[in-house]
Amino acid sequence: MSAPATPRRTSSPATPAVPSAPPRGSAPAGGLDWRVRFAFLSVVWGFSFLFIKVGTGAFAPFQVALGRVFFGALALLAVLLVRREPLPRGRRTWGHLAVAALLLNTAPFALFAYAEQSITSTLAGICNATSPLWGMALSLVALSEDRPTRRRFAGLGIGFLGVLTVLGAWQGFTGVDAKGTALALLASLCYPIGWIYVRRTLAGCSGSPVAMTGAQLMVSTLQLAAVSALFTSAPTGFPLWPTLAVVTLGALGTGTALQMQYGLVSEVGPTTAQMVTYFIPVIATTAGVLVLGEQLHWNTPVGALIVLAGAALTQARPQQRGRA
């Protein structure tokens, strides 16, 4: 999944943006039930790792990442055009957006694409689930408002125990591509680093989350276009399935899904909307096994469950005394 910019408030450095919201529980008139949209997001973001795997079968990793942000930007710009909303203004804002784009889109999207050249989409999806763990560890150092608790420290330890289980540490990591796994874990680390930067620089900027994220994806498109021109050659062709995978990954998974998530956050609140994160590795694993025929050993799903349990604990907040 990609991370949008400029949160009004966030539940963690790695969680999605939270726009100004109407009262919770008020479904938009004529819209789909929030549970349907929640399920849609889980499936789309879970399948993203399958789309990356298919895309890298015909295109260079930088080109897959470029197509992802390009079609994602087109989807969000189309929404802005319909709404007649302007893009953000100011050199300072666009400068911060350039850094946010690098950390939240350009780097992690390219790293995941490179990683899936040597690891399964299943493993990539599970590595993505470690992002809340990285976020909790970094926030203890960089964000003074995030105080450590025993529960959150326990979640951090449990989560990384799950990572070791997925990788089969007791077997000496036999059969696991170290470079690809490291790239996927580095990609998941980019998200909380980016969110800490966003919270420090862009949290007070004016502009809707859709406008800010659309601008962020536009900048990421320019960054990846420059990198692709320098380090890759033009594709010799555009095979049907890899091309459709990249277009779907961008327009649906990076553009439309983000727009739908804003509505979810507004309707049911950030805590419930954030739960979609814990379904992504489940969908990614199912898609990788059933569609791509990837092998699944017992330690992969068991380790994934441990990772998710640890991530859930790191997101827990102490209850305020005296409040119902």
Side-chain angles (χ1 to χ4, degrees), residues 212-271:
M212 297 296 288
T213 306
Q216 180 180 306
L217 290 178
M218 288 175 58
V219 175
S220 181
T221 298
L222 295 177
Q223 293 172 347
L224 283 165
V227 172
S228 297
L230 288 174
F231 297 103
T232 66
S233 56
T236 56
F238 294 89
L240 177 61
W241 291 115
T243 302
L244 287 177
V246 173
V247 173
T248 303
L249 179 65
L252 195 61
T254 307
T256 304
L258 285 178
Q259 169 63 19
M260 184 172 290
Q261 189 190 40
Y262 297 141
L264 267 181
V265 172
S266 298
E267 186 176 340
V268 299
T271 301

Side-chain angles (χ1 to χ4, degrees), residues 154-170:
L156 188 62
I158 291 172
F160 285 111
L161 177 63
V163 173
L164 295 177
T165 303
V166 170
L167 301 180
W170 65 91

Side-chain angles (χ1 to χ4, degrees), residues 56-218:
T56 54
F59 304 110
F62 278 132
Q63 293 168 350
V64 172
L66 173 59
R68 181 176 185 176
V69 295
F70 173 72
F71 289 107
L74 286 182
L76 291 183
L77 290 177
V79 173
L80 294 177
L81 183 62
V82 172
R83 293 182 176 181
R84 297 183 180 180
E85 291 186 23
L87 289 170
R89 298 178 180 179
R91 293 182 179 179
R92 183 182 181 87
T93 298
W94 281 91
H96 290 314
L97 282 172
V99 179
L102 176 64
L103 293 172
L104 296 173
N105 303 111
T106 302
F109 290 178
L111 287 169
F112 270 124
Y114 269 103
E116 290 199 44
Q117 288 188 317
S118 56
I119 66 173
T120 63
S121 65
T122 295
L123 181 55
I126 294 173
C127 288
N128 180 76
T130 65
S131 186
L133 303 177
W134 297 118
M136 182 266 182
L138 291 172
S139 67
L140 295 178
V141 177
L143 299 174
S144 59
E145 66 269 26
D146 281 341
R147 300 297 182 183
T149 64
R150 292 181 180 179
R151 177 177 294 183
R152 299 185 72 196
F153 271 126
L156 188 62
I158 291 172
F160 285 111
L161 177 63
V163 173
L164 295 177
T165 303
V166 170
L167 301 180
W170 65 91
Q171 298 174 344
F173 305 104
T174 303
V176 176
D177 184 84
K179 180 180 178 181
T181 304
L183 290 176
L185 291 173
L186 181 60
S188 70
L189 175 60
C190 287
Y191 292 127
I193 294 176
W195 266 113
I196 290 174
Y197 180 83
V198 164
R199 290 178 67 172
R200 290 183 176 274
T201 60
L202 287 168
C205 292
S206 60
S208 71
V210 177
M212 297 296 288
T213 306
Q216 180 180 306
L217 290 178
M218 288 175 58

Side-chain angles (χ1 to χ4, degrees), residues 14-47:
T15 52
V18 182
S20 299
R24 292 188 189 180
S26 56
L32 292 173
D33 183 85
W34 73 267
R35 297 170 187 83
V36 176
R37 285 174 282 143
F38 185 97
F40 175 82
L41 283 176
S42 301
V43 172
V44 168
W45 279 334
F47 267 81

